[in-house]
Every structure is written in C-alpha cells, then in structure tokens.
Amino acid sequence: MTTAPEQDDRAVELDLLARVAKRERAAFEQLYARYANILYATAMKFLREDADAQDVVQDVFIQIWDKAKLYDPAKGKPLTWALTMTRNRSIDRIRAIQRRGRLRDDFEKETVVDESAGIREALSGVDASEKNQILRDAVQRLSPEQRKVIDLAFFGGLTQNEVAKRLGEPLGTIKARARRGLMKLKELLGEKP
Amino acid sequence: MTREQIEELAALDALDALDGDDLVAWQQVRAENQSAVRLRDELAGAVAQICLLSPAATAPSALRQRVMDRVFGGPSSAQTVTEATPSFKLAPWAAAAAVVFFVLAGASATTRQKESVVVRDTRPDPQNLQIALSGYGDYAAAKAHVLWDSGQRGWYVQAGGLPDLPASHAYRVWAVDADGAVHDCGELALRRGGLARSFVQPGDDIRSMQGFAVTIEPAGGTATAPTSPAVLISTLRS
C-alpha cells in the first residue's frame, strides 16, 4: 500500500539522515522543517502541554543529531524512528509528571495517560488526506478489544501485565489481542521496514 | 516456542509492553531469529503510524531556534522550556567506579576526552548480556537488571523496590564505559509499586559499557554527571 510519493519521501529522508550522520547542518535543518510539526503534534497528543511537548521535541531532535549514524534503514522508516522516539519520551515524561502530581496530591493515581484518548482522538481527527483516511480505516477495522490493548500499551505506556490487571483479563488474552491487532494493522497498512 | 508465541512477543515489544520473563525470552528470540526481528520492526512501524493521526499542530518558531542552539551551540544551548540544566559534579561513586573500570580495562590512567578518543573494545559482544544492579544503603531492597537489545542497539533497564521520591527529584541511569567515563542515560520512569523501566540508547561506545548505576537527581533536567551517590550499582563486568 506504499504510494510513489511515500517512496519519494522516504528516499529524501534517508538521504537527509545520512547527511545528518555526517554532521551536515543544512541537512539537519531540512529534517527539522519536515518533522517538527509532526513530532510536535504527536508530543502534544500525549502531553497536552505546550512546554512539555516542546521539551520532548527538542530532546528528540538532539537524539536524531547524536544517533543518526546508528540509524538502520532496514529497521524502519526515518519518520517511524522519530515518532517512536517522540512517543517513548512523551510516555517517560507523563510518568514523571504523574508521579510528581501523585506525591503532591497525596493520593495514588494510575501511572497511565487517559487510556481512551489515544486512538479515539486519532479516529476523530479532521485530516481527510488519503493517507490518513487509509490509516483511520485500518484502525477502525480493529476490534474494540484490540484497540483497547493497543491504546493502553502504546498510548498509555502500560506493560502487558498492567494492561491485564487494568482490564481484568488473563495475560494470555492480552497477548493474543496484541498479536492479532498488530498483525491486522500491519496487513492493512502494508507496513515494511 | 511456537510461531504464535513469537508473534506475541514481537507484537508486545512493538507496543513497548513486554515485562518480566517475556522480556528476557524476547531477547533470546531476537538474538536467534532474524525473521522475528523483522516482524517486530514491521509491527512497530505500523503502530507508530497511528501517531500521524494526531490533530495537526504547528511547532512554535522559538522551538526551532532552541533546537539549533542546543545542537550547534548558541545562547540558549543549556535551556529546556521547563527546567534549567543542573550543575556538573562528578559523584564519588562515579569517580571510584571509573578508576576500577579503568584498571580492569587495562587502559592507561589518563582523563578521557570524550570527543577525541575512539574506544577500542576487545570484549565479547554484549548481546544477551544481563547485568544485575544491587541497591545500597537505604535502597538495599531495590534491584535492577540491564538487558542488551542487539536489534535496537540499546539497553533495557528494569528496576523494582524503588521508593517514591519528592516531586523535585527523579531516578537517573548512568553508564560507565571502559575508559571510566560516565554517560547520562536519562531518567528511570517510576511506575506504581516501586517498579521502573527505561530504554537506553547510548552512542557509539555502547560496546564498551562496563557498568551501570542509578542516582537521584533533580527531575526533568538534562544532566552531564551524577550529583549524588548511587542508590543502585552493577557488579563489574570482566
């Protein structure tokens, strides 16, 4: 399902990343121009606070500069790599914020973001581009149970055992839903590294 | 292990949701099974695309300048939006560990210049290595493990028994390389019940990492060296 423009994008981004690895400032600036809004939107989706989102995006770009030479094209698209870094840093920041909030308020909150927010908001987005419509359709074709597991783990930052406990389901059920959900998503999106 | 079990591990790793024995099992699978690694990468690529459905947003123009300053040097190169950078201070444990590691590595006792020294590592590949960290002092009940992920070229840090900290502070992971230099590996995000997990992707000298430690540092900052004694520290690798 990869389109020609997507392949062009990927080729350009691979070239930029290779040049960033060689410490080319112009390439880094071009990569920033391509990714900044996407990564900022992603960080905002998780964090909902401009200052926190900016810090995460700043960290991610510093990582891109520092780690570009470690990037392996066989492992995924450059944008996927950057999105994954943004997701992971956002989750880490949420945990730190919630832990501090928990201490301040002197009561225990769950160490998880609003578990229903991630995919639900993704599906309600107003971007009607063809690519995003394909994505949205793919997500909607997952079962509600599969979406829930993906939501809690990927957007909520819970481990498999935490998801099982949260949903009151056996761990084996959670594993099966994760497998089926992601395999289906991969099939629908035709994802290749 | 059945194909279905391997697919489950790959899916859960793509979701960053593996824990406990399954995390160790996955490290073994990915060390031996390249098709499982490819599947994991494809699944991770698929799920990451959901982020592209985020409501559109425009990064503030000031962010660009700050990123460029941080990367290329400039007036705001030490700043984040929410926190200032803590001051540099090499903690006693790090200095001591550095000396020990240095001797074990057979290296000459000179101060490392990070930017100019290329670390030549003659040790076995760290693949599948599991490094245990033990708690010290008030943190004696705490434990942690560091697992090398050859596919992602990074370390998983898992800890348990860590007490909550004041709002102003967080646990921070440090790695010590063969030259005794201490590398910041970021905050160790604490979950409920004293559990914590973090993924560390250090720079080119990952193969030379000889030990890990966890200290308590000001929360949210970007540190250059530990400012407090280690609460968790690994046994030395030889």
Side-chain angles (χ1 to χ4, degrees):
Chain A
M1 202 175 290
T2 305
T3 62
E6 270 184 74
Q7 288 174 340
D8 289 346
D9 281 348
R10 182 175 182 175
V12 169
E13 289 164 9
L14 284 171
D15 176 63
L16 287 175
L17 210 49
R19 288 165 54 203
V20 168
K22 294 174 183 169
R23 299 306 214 213
E24 281 190 33
R25 178 171 182 152
F28 181 77
E29 289 176 343
Q30 287 177 54
L31 204 62
Y32 182 91
R34 292 180 79 92
Y35 286 175
N37 289 346
I38 297 170
L39 301 188
Y40 177 72
T42 299
M44 279 296 286
K45 178 186 179 70
F46 281 93
L47 294 158
R48 299 168 192 278
E49 287 289 338
D50 170 67
D52 290 321
Q54 286 194 51
D55 279 356
V56 163
V57 174
Q58 176 177 308
D59 283 351
V60 169
F61 276 106
I62 291 168
Q63 287 291 298
I64 289 173
W65 177 253
D66 287 342
K67 316 279 189 201
K69 53 189 160 188
L70 296 177
Y71 167 75
D72 178 2
K75 295 188 67 59
K77 300 168 187 167
L79 180 56
T80 301
W81 182 55
L83 286 171
T84 302
M85 280 195 284
T86 305
R87 177 264 177 198
N88 291 344
R89 285 176 181 275
S90 296
I91 291 288
D92 285 349
R93 200 167 189 93
I94 287 167
R95 287 183 187 136
I97 292 167
Q98 290 186 330
R99 182 170 54 77
R100 292 196 284 272
R102 187 170 73 234
L103 288 167
R104 186 178 58 245
D105 299 341
D106 197 28
F107 71 92
E108 182 162 324
K109 293 177 182 173
E110 300 294 346
T111 310
V112 61
V113 294
D114 174 3
E115 69 269 21
S116 63
I119 289 181
R120 186 188 66 213
E121 290 184 357
L123 292 174
S124 65
V126 294
D127 186 339
S129 69
E130 182 185 359
K131 179 176 169 52
N132 280 1
Q133 191 55 51
I134 291 168
L135 267 172
R136 196 168 288 115
D137 288 347
V139 173
Q140 279 175 327
R141 288 178 65 178
L142 302 178
S143 74
E145 292 81 11
Q146 291 165 351
R147 283 204 296 262
K148 191 75 173 173
V149 169
I150 293 171
D151 225 350
L152 285 168
F154 191 75
F155 289 100
L158 296 187
T159 68
Q160 55 183 3
N161 277 293
E162 291 169 332
V163 173
K165 189 175 174 185
R166 172 66 66 88
L167 297 179
E169 301 272 11
L171 178 58
T173 302
I174 302 305
K175 289 180 178 180
R177 287 178 187 167
R179 179 180 72 85
R180 291 187 192 124
L182 261 61
M183 294 292 280
K184 191 170 184 178
L185 199 59
K186 175 177 102 69
E187 179 193 338
L188 292 169
L189 296 176
E191 183 64 24
K192 297 285 178 192
Chain B
M1 190 175 288
T2 66
R3 175 165 179 77
E4 195 169 285
Q5 288 172 316
I6 291 172
E7 287 177 355
E8 282 180 354
L9 292 175
L12 286 156
D13 190 58
L15 290 170
D16 189 27
L18 281 174
D19 59 10
D21 293 340
D22 281 338
L23 185 58
V24 177
W26 172 242
Q27 302 309 315
Q28 291 168 346
V29 167
R30 70 177 306 155
E32 300 161 358
N33 186 338
Q34 282 308 301
S35 66
V37 175
R38 279 195 298 277
L39 174 64
R40 182 264 172 214
D41 293 340
E42 290 172 8
L43 296 176
V47 75
Q49 287 194 50
I50 299 177
C51 294
L52 296 174
L53 295 175
S54 304
T58 304
S61 55
L63 175 60
R64 182 186 185 284
Q65 190 57 51
R66 202 167 48 253
V67 168
M68 298 305 159
D69 285 348
R70 281 297 303 270
V71 170
F72 302 109
S76 61
S77 62
Q79 297 294 318
T80 64
V81 175
T82 55
E83 299 282 349
T85 305
S87 61
F88 180 92
K89 182 184 172 188
L90 189 65
W93 72 263
V99 171
V100 175
F101 289 131
F102 219 75
V103 170
L104 284 177
S108 60
T110 56
T111 303
R112 181 178 185 237
Q113 301 296 317
K114 283 187 186 176
E115 293 75 16
S116 59
V117 173
V118 176
V119 176
R120 189 178 62 183
D121 179 36
T122 56
R123 288 170 179 69
D125 191 275
Q127 188 168 294
N128 296 330
L129 276 180
Q130 192 175 156
I131 299 176
L133 284 75
S134 303
Y136 280 83
D138 294 341
Y139 301 84
K143 289 181 179 175
H145 284 90
V146 178
L147 302 166
W148 170 248
D149 184 326
S150 58
Q152 297 191 72
R153 295 178 62 76
W155 304 89
Y156 280 106
V157 184
Q158 285 196 121
L162 289 169
D164 269 339
L165 294 175
S168 57
H169 287 74
Y171 293 102
R172 201 164 192 96
V173 182
W174 304 90
V176 183
D177 70 20
D179 287 347
V182 180
H183 301 257
D184 174 27
C185 297
E187 285 189 9
L188 186 58
L190 195 60
R191 301 181 180 192
R192 287 179 302 159
L195 297 172
R197 185 180 175 208
S198 178
F199 181 70
V200 174
Q201 203 163 34
D204 286 347
D205 38 13
I206 48 175
R207 288 167 63 91
S208 70
M209 291 306 176
Q210 298 298 294
F212 288 83
V214 175
T215 64
I216 297 171
E217 304 293 338
T222 51
T224 51
T227 60
S228 67
V231 297
L232 282 159
I233 194 163
S234 63
T235 50
L236 301 179
R237 284 172 54 197
S238 59

